Structures are given as structure tokens and as C-alpha cells.
Amino acid sequence: MKRVIIAGVGPGSKSCLTEEVKEAIDNSEVLIGSKRLIEEYTDKKTFYAVTAKDIIDIIDNENANNYVVLMSGDTGFYSGAKKLYEVLNPENYEVKSLCGISSVVYFCGKLKTSWEDVCLQSTHGRSANLIGAVKAHEKTFTLLSAHGSVEALCKELKEYGLTDVTLHIGERLGYPEEKITTGMPGELEQGSYDGLCVALIENPHPFKGIRSCVE
């Protein structure tokens, strides 16, 4: 039976790896993940794959016993691990999950703010009613999708009258070139941002009639 470890690697840099994940990577025969996550491991047999189907195909076709699939952030926060769990039948694979440092935990730590009261969202590869979430909560965190997503978010916030919210934009978290920018939509709208970024949006006047995150 092949052993598959699904490992959350945090924001992405090796400095954010847990010791448990480091050990799993060291002992692996095959590493699978996005190019950004595995390109540093030149001493390992690596495969670029992000969809559950492609990952399973690699595992089934390789003659190895120990596989580690690298997932950005934590395996429980908008992670590809969810779909992978569904296709890794325990009758055929020995599966283990190792948590990582999620971007929301890392970013809120950098901002010196708590995250237990944050509404969690993501527009990375999916749709979300982000404006509804911002209207209803004092703090909303979101993964952003690509280049131009910060500018588009600022424009949308202004269109809905949310001009007094404060945005904290985190770019390349965990890497040497990490950057955090803070401002209101009108101040950040004309900026240029990395495609690998997140946002924490603080609304000083949330609508109290809505109590839960809006999907």
C-alpha cells in the first residue's frame, strides 16, 4: 500500500515549514505540488501537479512507496487537500495529513490582530460574495486570485459605498520580498500588486443585522 502524506507548507517559503512537514519532505521518495512549492527541492524526484486527478495519476504510475503532496497554507483552509481526500481510497492508500501555517494566521500575526473574529473568504479560483461579507463584519480576510485583483477589489468597494474601510494587503508572505500595504480603497486602487497576495479588510461600521459569513 502506497503511503501518501498531504502536507500544508504555510505561505510557501521553507522558513514557514513545521518540523513535522520538514521531516516528511526529507523522508519522501516523490514530491508533488505546484511549481512554486516544489521547485526548491532539486535533490528530490518532483512532479508538478495541482488537480486531484493529476496527483492520483502520478502516484498510481510511479514505482515508489512514500509520496508527499505539498499544499500551500494549511490543508484545512481553502485547500486542494479537500478534493484529494475524496479520491484517496483508504483501501488503496495509507493517507496522512499534516497541517501547516495558514495565510490568515500568519498575516494576522504580522498585523498584531486576532483572527478568531475574522470572516474567512477566498476569491482564489472560486466566486464569493466578498462585498456582502465586508458589509456584515468588522474584519474580513480573503485570498485573492491574480494580478489586478487588489485593484478590482478596491474599485468594487468604492462602487458599493465602502470607502471608509481599511485594507491590509499582504504580498509574497513568508518570502524575503514580503510586503504589507495598508490604506483605504481610494488610496490603494492605483497601486501595483503581486499575484500572490491576501487582504484583511476592516469595516468600522458593519451591518449588525447579519451575523454570519456570506458565501
Side-chain angles (χ1 to χ4, degrees), residues 119-202:
C119 177
L120 304 178
Q121 297 281 309
S122 174
T123 61
H124 185 72
R126 67 191 301 273
S127 61
N129 185 1
L130 189 54
I131 295 300
V134 173
K135 284 183 176 180
H137 297 86
E138 292 184 8
K139 291 189 283 188
T140 301
F141 174 89
T142 184
L143 302 173
L144 295 172
S145 57
H147 287 285
S149 58
V150 175
E151 297 92 317
L153 173 59
C154 289
K155 182 179 179 181
E156 191 173 14
L157 288 167
K158 288 174 62 180
E159 288 175 351
Y160 281 89
L162 295 166
T163 56
D164 61 343
V165 301
T166 298
L167 295 96
H168 307 278
I169 307 299
E171 304 172 68
R172 304 287 296 176
L173 297 181
Y175 290 94
E177 62 272 27
E178 174 181 287
K179 182 181 178 181
I180 297 175
T181 306
T182 296
M184 292 183 174
E187 297 170 330
L188 303 186
E189 185 179 15
Q190 302 302 319
S192 178
Y193 307 92
D194 191 88
L196 186 63
C197 63
V198 302
L200 181 73
I201 308 161
E202 295 183 293

Side-chain angles (χ1 to χ4, degrees), residues 51-118:
T51 67
K53 181 183 182 303
D54 289 344
I55 292 169
I56 288 294
D57 286 345
I58 292 167
I59 294 171
D60 288 344
N61 291 319
E62 281 298 303
N63 185 24
N65 294 317
N66 296 310
Y67 299 80
V68 174
V69 182
L70 303 183
M71 296 285 178
S72 61
D74 177 62
T75 53
F77 182 60
Y78 292 106
S79 173
K82 183 178 181 179
K83 290 185 177 179
L84 196 53
Y85 294 145
E86 296 173 358
V87 295
L88 284 171
N89 191 320
E91 294 181 1
N92 301 319
Y93 310 94
E94 180 187 344
V95 182
K96 184 177 181 180
S97 176
L98 301 179
C99 64
I101 300 172
S102 72
S103 53
V104 61
V105 171
Y106 181 95
F107 195 43
C108 285
K110 286 285 184 174
L111 295 174
K112 301 181 181 66
T113 187
S114 61
W115 64 273
E116 76 267 10
D117 55 345
V118 173

